């Protein structure tokens, strides 16, 4: 119950500060990180939940959805059109090439079957184009 209250208050503060965070380099994700650290076992220990509980997983997913939603609200079509080059290259060239090279190395060095080698390549290749920006 305390975990839900801490999340709700953090979410409310994040909403109230979203305009300010839009003009700074910090996003509302930093707020969630700081509150989680301060309220967690390393801080005041308000949140003493087991990280493997379903409730904690659902709460983390809700926090991620809220952060992505607020960041997505700030992105305009003009911004997306101007900044697609690096993430586009990462997804269209980098990801398939890394997957292929990793699968070939897994097949050649470890003698894995092709299906397993392709799965290893898919698991190990970078899939987040945010790292390119």
């Amino acid at each position: 119950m305390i975990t839900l209250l801490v999340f709700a208050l953090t979410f409310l503060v994040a909403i109230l500060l979203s305009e300010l965070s839009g003009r700074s380099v910090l996003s509302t994700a930093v707020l969630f990180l700081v509150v989680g650290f301060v309220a967690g076992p390393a801080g005041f220990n308000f949140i003493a939940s087991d990280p493997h509980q379903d409730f904690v997983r659902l709460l983390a997913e809700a926090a991620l959805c809220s952060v992505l939603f607020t960041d997505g609200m700030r992105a305009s079509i003009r911004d997306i059109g101007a900044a697609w080059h690096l993430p586009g290259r990462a997804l269209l060239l980098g990801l398939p090439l890394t997957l292929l090279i990793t699968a070939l190395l897994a097949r050649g060095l470890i003698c894995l079957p092709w299906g397993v080698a392709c799965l290893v390549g898919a698991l190990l290749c970078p899939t987040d184009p945010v790292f390119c920006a």
Side-chain angles (χ1 to χ4, degrees):
M1 190 65 175
I2 298 278
T3 305
L4 188 59
L5 179 65
V6 169
F7 173 72
L9 290 174
T10 306
F11 187 56
L12 179 66
V13 171
I15 290 170
L16 294 173
L17 294 177
S18 64
E19 179 66 30
L20 179 64
S21 71
R23 295 188 305 247
S24 72
V25 281
L26 298 176
S27 74
T28 54
V30 175
L31 176 68
F32 282 101
L33 180 69
V34 170
V35 169
F37 182 77
V38 171
F44 293 111
N45 204 19
F46 292 140
I47 303 171
S49 298
D50 179 22
H52 301 291
Q53 290 178 340
D54 286 337
F55 175 73
V56 175
R57 183 184 55 81
L58 290 172
L59 199 58
E61 288 175 1
L64 178 64
C65 288
S66 67
V67 169
L68 292 176
F69 182 75
T70 56
D71 287 346
M73 283 179 39
R74 282 189 248 137
S76 68
I77 296 295
R78 186 175 299 132
D79 293 337
I80 294 171
W84 70 271
H85 300 289
L86 285 176
R89 278 190 287 198
L91 284 174
L92 297 175
L93 292 175
L95 185 139
L97 286 175
T98 306
L99 191 150
L100 179 66
I101 292 169
T102 306
L104 288 172
L105 286 172
R107 172 72 179 171
L109 295 176
I110 310 173
C111 300
L112 292 175
W114 279 113
V116 176
C118 289
L119 283 174
V120 168
L123 288 170
L124 295 179
C125 71
T127 58
D128 196 351
V130 172
F131 292 124
C132 299

